[in-house]
Amino acid sequence: PNDTHFPRQWNMTQVQAGGPGQTGWDISTGAAAVVICVLDEGCDLTHPDLQFSGPGINLGSMTPPGTPTGNHGTACAGIAAATINNGGEGVAGMAGACRVLPAAFDAWSDVEVAAGINFATAAGARVISMSFGWNAWDPNIIDPAIQNAFDNNVAMCVATHNHNGAITYPATNPLVMAVGASDQADDRKSPASPDGECWGSNFGPQISVVAPGVGVATADIPGNNGHNNNGRGA
């Protein structure tokens, strides 16, 4: 693709989404009918590299829009669904033809987690990205929402977390995909990984899959609150 930062996207060539030879993007880049809910810190709804299915929601007020309450959600959305081959703009997302539905945390509570999952399910999302975890959350609040999403054929991708220890909830729920991080050497991301960052991806018997998770170029929010303070591409 001609996306500006694709040469930095080692993650996409590592999993053979793009790059030389026959790759995943030769088969499919996703479809606009497939909605990915990014349950996180909201998304920059004006980002030129992202396509949205709707304005989303703020989980504190339970009203639109799902605009950023931090910089993490836009970054996650870019990895999942930044538009591919769009005239040199930004990065190429794993499923760049899909559309994003943002849900923005306000208090990062278990009530908001459940509300976000239920919102995504009711809105017709096919995938929910949940790059978080905390064992102090009450499963009695969140598990019914996970069950409802599962019963409606929603794929839930939940981070194992980055404490270099045991997998955190809700990635421990057997109805979700517990996603860990790998490094450039194709090993589990750990403090000993070649990137030099001090964190490690959590691991354990509940893990479903790992994917490249460090040094990944993606979308960003503008201004000083962004990851790299360099506009809308990180």
Side-chain angles (χ1 to χ4, degrees):
N2 61 12
D3 304 86
T4 303
H5 296 292
F6 180 71
R8 298 172 54 204
Q9 291 186 270
W10 72 271
N11 53 317
M12 296 302 178
T13 54
Q14 180 72 28
V15 301
Q16 296 182 324
Q22 181 81 6
T23 66
W25 288 335
D26 293 315
I27 300 169
S28 176
T29 58
V34 176
V35 174
I36 302 169
C37 177
V38 178
L39 178 52
D40 207 285
E41 291 183 326
C43 295
D44 176 4
L45 294 172
T46 64
H47 199 292
D49 215 13
L50 297 172
Q51 301 296 316
F52 295 95
S53 65
I57 197 169
N58 180 284
L59 296 170
S61 64
M62 291 305 295
T63 59
T67 48
T69 55
N71 56 27
H72 196 256
T74 300
C76 290
I79 295 169
T83 305
I84 299 171
N85 211 38
N86 56 330
E89 183 68 57
V91 296
M94 179 63 69
C98 295
R99 292 180 297 157
V100 173
L101 181 66
F105 280 106
D106 179 61
W108 284 96
S109 67
D110 41 22
V111 172
E112 289 189 358
V113 175
I117 296 170
N118 285 329
F119 164 75
T121 303
R126 306 310 308 148
V127 179
I128 306 176
S129 168
M130 293 184 271
S131 185
F132 53 75
W134 195 35
N135 288 329
W137 281 329
D138 187 351
N140 292 318
I141 294 174
I142 298 174
D143 280 354
I146 291 176
Q147 183 70 58
N148 178 48
F150 180 82
D151 292 344
N152 282 276
N153 299 316
V154 180
M156 292 163 280
C157 302
V158 186
T160 61
H161 225 312
N162 55 5
H163 307 133
N164 202 42
I167 295 173
T168 56
Y169 180 79
T172 51
N173 185 301
L175 300 183
V176 309
M177 295 176 63
V179 184
S182 57
D183 63 17
Q184 292 93 334
D186 209 24
D187 294 321
R188 178 182 69 88
K189 171 65 185 88
S190 75
S193 292
D195 57 87
E197 295 185 13
C198 63
W199 62 280
S201 180
N202 290 9
F203 57 97
Q206 305 94 340
I207 201 164
S208 303
V209 66
V210 296
V214 66
V216 171
T218 186
D220 199 7
I221 62 174
N224 293 333
N225 292 324
H227 284 279
N228 289 334
N229 300 334
N230 65 347
R232 285 172 158 167

